[in-house]
Amino acid sequence: MTDFSTRLFINGTFVEGEGKAETAYEPAFGKPLAEVPSASTGQIDQAVGAAHAAYKDWSKRAPRERSAALLAIADAIEAKVERLAEVESRNAGKPLRFARTGELANVADVFRFYGTAVRNMPAPAAGNYRGQGRTSLVRRDPIGVIAQIAPWNYPLLMAAWKIAPAIAAGNAVVIKPSELTPLSLLALSDIFAEILPAGVVNVVTGNGPDVGHALISHDLVRMISLTGDVRTGRAVLQAAAGPMIKRTHLELGGKAPVIVCVDADLDKLVETLREASFYNAGQDCTAACRIFAHLDVVQPLTDKLEAMIGSLVYGRPDRDDVEFGPVISARQQERVDGFVSRARAQGFDVIQGQAADPDGFFFAPTLVAAPIEAEIVQKEVFGPVLSITAFDNNQQALDWANASEYGLGSSVWSQKTDTAMEIANALEYGVTWINTHGVMATEMPHGGMKNSGYGSDLSMQSLIDYTQIRHLMLG
């Protein structure tokens, strides 16, 4: 494949962007894939206007009609999986085999789930709560135009997490992919054009400070959904506090602790971390990136991790044997290297896998043994880097985990159910796994606490988040 769609998708039509062009790269080679013109301010206004007009009809469609559209989108994704997977792999650096069989399958599953969930919206039973003659009932209505900002680490999957529940609920969407990875969502827009009424989903491209800010600040936008970093989350909250207060839905990153108790199954743990720490080159907000291991097991665990890291296969995404590919950009590569270089300069033990391919944005899998106060233990690295820190007792590990500014993903490893549950119940994280890590289910909510944001992706809860509850009383 050499041709990529680079046009905006506005009101059911593909149009050339009128703003400055952003270069989309192929991370495996460090070379440009396409020049993608950004949306102008006028085109953002057109996209929001189109969504506003489409909302008036789409919101009145019966749930079964919206359901049929989402189910058709899921079927179309499966029919075009090869094309979508190749675009995702080349622009985001994902191993093609994982993009095809894993992530695109999940994208289709998300649309299919919300295509059925919208026909089963929960609400309290109608009743005479204030006595006879007054009957109360609840409506869950759509909100209006939703501005959505998708990240670069899972361009299609995160877009699906946002678009599917929003349009299932009856809203209309204007979504901006990251300027680093716009190509797969633009390719997916062919499916939207075939199935959805014009204006229900609109895709605009460009950077955050210009295009993103203009989008979330628009007067007709009623809700903003962002997956990004804390700094961008604060900018969203400022925009949401404008003349027309907007709802917000924020997922802002994480620093997932892995608490390894003295009785943990180390072999199962290490095999799990092979994927949970290094899938997608560690560019995952819930990646198992910092291990807190009991003092009695830290050395045998370190030895097992060193052997695992040495056997990890990474490289160009079109290879059938690679377990992860490059990081997203030269800037990200330099950022990750900065964390590891500073850790090495401070005298911390650094263990790395095979040398990186010099032609792309690759970084070797890395393990750093460091104390709790170290930068690499506290800050989100967002790369194939894992830290390990010894603790004296379970309470110390729990205190360390909860002291973090983040609260998205976490895991506890113990063969004693009561011990694992006691720690899990006390963790201040939106998601806690016990004796596993990083496994998602579309039926279960995914969201954060503290600086990791609020609002749920996935599950019925996300569908509810894209509605506004109303009380009607008949007297």
Side-chain angles (χ1 to χ4, degrees):
M1 179 190 297
T2 56
D3 296 328
F4 297 95
S5 174
T6 61
R7 294 182 297 167
L8 315 178
F9 181 59
I10 298 176
N11 201 25
T13 303
F14 292 93
V15 297
E16 195 74 19
E18 298 171 353
K20 70 175 183 178
E22 299 280 355
T23 302
Y25 282 84
E26 186 166 13
F29 297 95
K31 295 179 180 179
L33 268 182
E35 295 294 318
V36 183
S38 301
S40 66
T41 302
Q43 289 176 313
I44 295 167
D45 189 60
Q46 291 170 16
V48 175
H52 182 66
Y55 163 74
K56 295 178 182 179
D57 171 68
W58 182 248
S59 62
K60 293 181 175 63
R61 300 281 184 101
R64 68 176 181 273
E65 294 183 63
R66 300 198 298 269
S67 170
L70 269 76
L71 295 175
I73 290 171
D75 291 343
I77 289 169
E78 290 174 340
K80 298 182 178 181
V81 66
E82 293 296 333
R83 175 173 176 267
L84 292 170
E86 184 176 356
V87 179
E88 186 83 332
S89 175
R90 293 187 65 184
N91 192 194
K94 298 174 181 294
L96 180 59
R97 63 190 181 112
F98 293 152
R100 182 193 299 121
T101 62
E103 294 187 24
L104 264 297
N106 285 332
V107 170
D109 183 64
V110 168
F111 278 98
R112 189 164 285 121
F113 173 81
Y114 287 107
T116 55
V118 68
R119 303 186 71 172
N120 296 277
M121 186 79 76
N128 303 115
Y129 296 102
R130 287 302 304 271
Q132 294 300 318
R134 295 184 179 90
T135 301
S136 289
L137 57 93
V138 162
R139 290 180 57 94
R140 283 204 171 274
D141 289 343
I143 296 167
V145 177
I146 315 294
Q148 300 180 325
I149 310 294
W152 51 256
N153 57 333
Y154 292 97
L156 280 181
L157 188 58
M158 297 297 98
W161 285 15
K162 295 180 181 300
I163 294 170
I167 66 173
N171 303 289
V173 164
V174 183
I175 185 168
K176 187 194 84 67
S178 167
E179 66 271 25
L180 298 177
T181 54
L183 299 179
S184 55
L185 183 53
L186 292 173
L188 183 63
S189 298
D190 287 340
I191 292 174
F192 298 148
E194 294 170 2
I195 295 171
L196 292 173
V200 173
V201 173
N202 305 269
V203 182
V204 296
T205 58
N207 66 26
D210 299 319
V211 177
H213 180 74
L215 172 59
I216 65 176
S217 301
H218 198 286
D219 288 343
L220 291 179
V221 167
R222 293 293 176 262
M223 177 177 174
I224 307 167
S225 174
L226 165 75
T227 298
D229 59 24
V230 176
R231 178 180 58 83
T232 307
R234 291 193 173 104
V236 164
L237 290 173
Q238 290 176 343
M244 175 64 73
I245 292 176
K246 300 171 171 63
R247 292 190 178 202
T248 53
H249 184 285
L250 307 175
E251 199 265 73
L252 306 178
K255 184 72 174 176
V258 179
I259 298 177
V260 184
C261 299
V262 69
D263 65 327
D265 183 336
L266 299 187
D267 290 330
K268 181 181 179 181
L269 168 64
V270 171
E271 186 57 33
T272 300
L273 294 182
R274 188 178 192 100
E275 180 175 335
S277 299
F278 297 104
Y279 184 84
N280 206 37
Q283 298 169 123
D284 187 312
C285 297
T286 59
C289 55
R290 57 175 183 163
I291 298 173
F292 298 149
H294 191 279
L295 189 61
D296 290 348
V297 300
V298 71
Q299 190 55 56
L301 177 55
T302 300
D303 294 341
K304 290 176 182 291
L305 288 169
E306 181 175 6
M308 181 268 282
I309 286 172
S311 68
L312 278 169
V313 179
Y314 69 106
R316 292 178 179 171
D318 58 348
R319 288 169 46 187
D320 289 336
D321 62 338
V322 295
E323 295 171 82
F324 67 89
V327 295
I328 192 63
S329 65
R331 179 180 179 183
Q332 187 66 13
Q333 184 185 46
E334 292 167 3
R335 183 178 185 275
V336 175
D337 184 64
F339 276 102
V340 174
S341 295
R342 289 189 295 274
R344 184 180 282 112
Q346 290 175 284
F348 304 144
D349 290 335
V350 177
I351 298 167
Q352 290 190 293
Q354 304 170 30
D357 189 326
D359 293 333
F361 305 139
F362 294 95
F363 197 86
T366 302
L367 174 67
V368 180
I372 185 62
E373 67 273 10
E375 174 195 48
I376 205 161
V377 179
Q378 295 296 328
K379 300 295 184 181
E380 187 176 31
V381 178
F382 226 59
V385 177
L386 179 61
S387 69
I388 186 166
T389 306
F391 65 80
D392 295 324
N393 56 69
N394 291 349
Q395 186 60 50
Q396 184 181 47
L398 178 61
D399 291 343
W400 285 350
N402 285 342
S404 174
E405 65 174 302
Y406 296 110
L408 186 56
S410 59
S411 65
V412 181
W413 293 78
S414 173
Q415 296 185 70
K416 296 178 180 178
T417 302
D418 56 347
T419 297
M421 287 301 297
E422 182 180 3
I423 296 172
N425 289 338
L427 281 167
E428 297 169 359
Y429 288 79
V431 183
T432 297
W433 293 278
I434 297 175
N435 296 328
T436 188
H437 192 111
V439 182
M440 304 289 185
T442 308
E443 295 83 357
M444 291 292 107
H446 178 80
M449 302 165 66
K450 299 183 286 188
N451 273 358
S452 288
Y454 50 81
S456 290
D457 290 312
L458 301 178
S459 80
M460 182 65 78
Q461 187 58 48
S462 184
L463 185 62
I464 291 170
D465 283 352
Y466 283 103
T467 66
Q468 49 194 1
I469 193 166
R470 299 179 58 212
H471 170 209
L472 277 62
M473 181 180 282
L474 290 75

